[in-house]
Amino acid sequence: MPSIEPSTDLPSGPPPVMGALCRRLWPGDAVAVREHFLRLDREARASRFMAALGDAAVAAHAERAMRAPGLMFGVFVDGVLRGLGELRPLGPNGGVGRLGSRAEGALTVERGFRRAGHGGLLLERLAEAARNRGVRELHLRCLPVNGAMRRLACRLGAEVRLRDGESEAALRLTRPTALSLWREGMEGWLDLGLAAAASPPSSLPRAA
């Protein structure tokens, strides 16, 4: 399985539509995250959660997601959160404040905003964040019927395997470089500034 270097080797498909913005999510985005998950249709919920969840279960996941270890990134279209990427530790080496050598990524994009490059953009941000934190393998899971996710993983050079009724892909990440760390640092400060413009100051972290 080939190693990949995020932001240079990740083909994201078509460029995101005009008016789209991808940035890291902070506590002040909790309402936007909840509303995004609740807008997901039945197909998107089944693909993301491997089950057809109702509104109460989806809202509970949104609340847990804001507190869980890891990072989240979102694509905003005209100021509304339409796509979301989650990066979580996978295995015993992860935990609060660290991801470990293996991490799991999950993507959701609302109906009407798919096939616009948002999924590729989110995965690029997830992969770079994982790489810069020492993650060597980024795992993606989806249902076999989720052709879009499987095609995206294959374009990145991942080998997609069917296991226990789910499709799973593992992307092997290269080690971070001074450039990748600098790039993420600059993106982080920009993300924090954009979030500050849309959220009350008390909801933002003290440091990026």
Side-chain angles (χ1 to χ4, degrees), residues 24-47:
R24 182 173 170 180
L25 300 179
W26 306 99
D29 296 305
V31 173
V33 169
R34 181 178 186 274
E35 292 177 349
H36 163 71
F37 278 124
L38 288 174
R39 282 193 298 267
L40 294 177
D41 57 28
R42 180 179 300 180
E43 178 186 349
R45 293 185 185 189
S47 295

Side-chain angles (χ1 to χ4, degrees), residues 7 21-26 29 71-73 125 128-129 132-133 179-197 204-208:
S7 297
L21 169 70
C22 182
R23 67 168 175 83
R24 182 173 170 180
L25 300 179
W26 306 99
D29 296 305
L71 302 173
M72 292 196 298
F73 295 88
R125 291 297 300 269
E128 181 165 85
N132 286 339
R133 287 160 179 79
L179 177 60
S180 70
L181 292 168
W182 173 84
R183 181 170 52 220
E184 190 191 359
M186 294 300 293
E187 290 171 341
W189 281 112
L190 177 60
D191 290 348
L192 189 57
L194 293 170
L204 298 174
R206 294 182 180 275

